[in-house]
Every structure is written in structure tokens, then in C-alpha cells.
């Protein structure tokens, strides 16, 4: 089970991850992954000289630094029993993979209707492939 600090619960968090993250679909899942930018903004000193000390954030969710995950399983997947089964499977699969993501990452996993009939091992493979594709640098596609 994911801890409370590792779960997305507010609709604003889901919306930010879906809008700002990278979307990749593989098999029966679609993954939206938002990785925080690794930059150290310069803080100006009173004399106008720049300091290499990173700016401090007061947002408690950013201070914790743990990666967080959320799940979207719509009614198109099936009745409530099937949706809950798919959600439990995905939660168990993501729990082990969340530690491998960079600190502060946000992951939203959307289950497609085919996920209801997909075996557990295949669901794990689809999730691994989607996360790997979302983490890889974007390349130029030739047309």
C-alpha cells in the first residue's frame, strides 16, 4: 500500500500532472509523468551579488521530496468490482517502481478498458514500458 505522502488525492494535483507531464501509452495503461526540473536558481544577496545557494520553497509537498502516484480508472473499464481490482493491481505494481523515480516526481496511471482483462504480468510489463518511455529524453520524430 502507498503511504499517504505518496498518493495524489486532490484534483488540482491530478490536473497539474496530466497537463504538465509527459504522456505515454503502452498496452492497457497510459502514464503521465512529471519530473521536477533540476536547477538551482540563484538567490541575490543585499549587495546585488548572486549566490549559488538554492532558493528555499515553503510548499510542504515539495519539501518532502518523495515521489507521488495517482490512479484514474473510469467506468469504461467495467463495474465497480472490476475497477477496484484494476486499481489494486496498479497500486501494487507502482509501489515497487515509485522508489526508482527521481525525488519529487508525480506519476498518474490511467487504466484503459483493456486493463480489466489484462493479466497481472502483462500489466506490469506495460507499466514498465510506459514509465521507461516517459523518462527517456524526447527525440525528434521523422515524418
Amino acid at each position: 500500500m502507498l503511504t499517504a505522502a505518496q498518493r495524489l488525492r486532490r484534483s488540482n494535483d491530478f490536473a497539474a500532472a496530466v497537463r504538465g507531464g509527459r504522456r505515454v501509452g503502452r498496452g492497457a495503461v497510459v502514464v503521465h509523468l512529471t519530473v521536477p526540473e533540476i536547477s538551482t536558481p540563484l538567490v541575490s544577496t543585499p549587495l546585488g551579488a548572486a549566490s549559488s545557494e538554492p532558493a528555499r520553497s515553503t510548499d510542504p509537498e515539495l519539501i518532502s521530496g518523495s515521489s507521488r502516484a495517482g490512479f484514474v480508472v473510469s467506468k469504461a473499464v467495467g463495474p465497480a468490482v472490476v475497477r477496484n481490482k484494476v486499481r489494486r493491481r496498479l497500486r501494487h505494481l507502482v509501489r515497487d517502481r515509485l522508489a526508482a523515480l527521481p525525488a519529487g516526481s508525480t506519476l498518474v496511471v490511467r487504466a484503459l478498458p483493456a486493463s480489466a482483462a489484462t493479466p497481472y504480468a502483462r500489466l506490469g510489463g506495460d507499466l514498465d514500458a510506459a514509465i521507461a518511455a516517459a523518462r527517456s529524453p524526447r527525440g525528434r520524430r521523422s515524418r
Side-chain angles (χ1 to χ4, degrees):
M1 181 103 157
L2 296 174
T3 64
Q6 293 176 320
R7 289 193 313 260
L8 290 179
R9 289 172 289 190
R10 297 185 308 209
S11 64
N12 292 342
D13 295 338
F14 278 91
V18 169
R19 272 193 235 114
R22 204 157 161 215
R23 182 183 70 206
V24 176
R26 294 288 185 271
V29 296
V30 175
V31 167
H32 298 268
L33 179 64
T34 305
V35 179
E37 304 228 354
I38 302 174
S39 63
T40 56
L42 298 179
V43 178
S44 62
T45 61
L47 300 175
S51 169
S52 63
E53 183 178 327
R56 305 221 186 271
S57 173
T58 58
D59 188 5
E61 292 173 351
L62 293 177
I63 292 173
S64 69
S66 67
S67 298
R68 300 175 342 141
F71 305 93
V72 178
V73 184
S74 73
K75 288 185 178 181
V77 173
V81 173
V82 174
R83 290 194 310 268
N84 288 330
K85 177 180 165 186
V86 169
R87 191 177 297 115
R88 281 193 310 269
R89 286 176 159 189
L90 289 172
R91 207 170 34 228
H92 186 264
L93 289 166
V94 167
R95 181 181 61 186
D96 299 332
R97 291 155 176 84
L98 205 55
L101 295 176
S105 298
T106 305
L107 177 72
V108 173
V109 181
R110 183 165 46 102
L112 298 177
S115 63
T118 304
Y120 182 79
R122 172 99 187 269
L123 204 56
D126 291 347
L127 184 63
D128 286 336
I131 291 173
R135 288 186 72 182
S136 68
R138 286 187 178 174
R140 302 270 310 166
R141 287 193 280 180
S142 60
R143 292 184 182 213

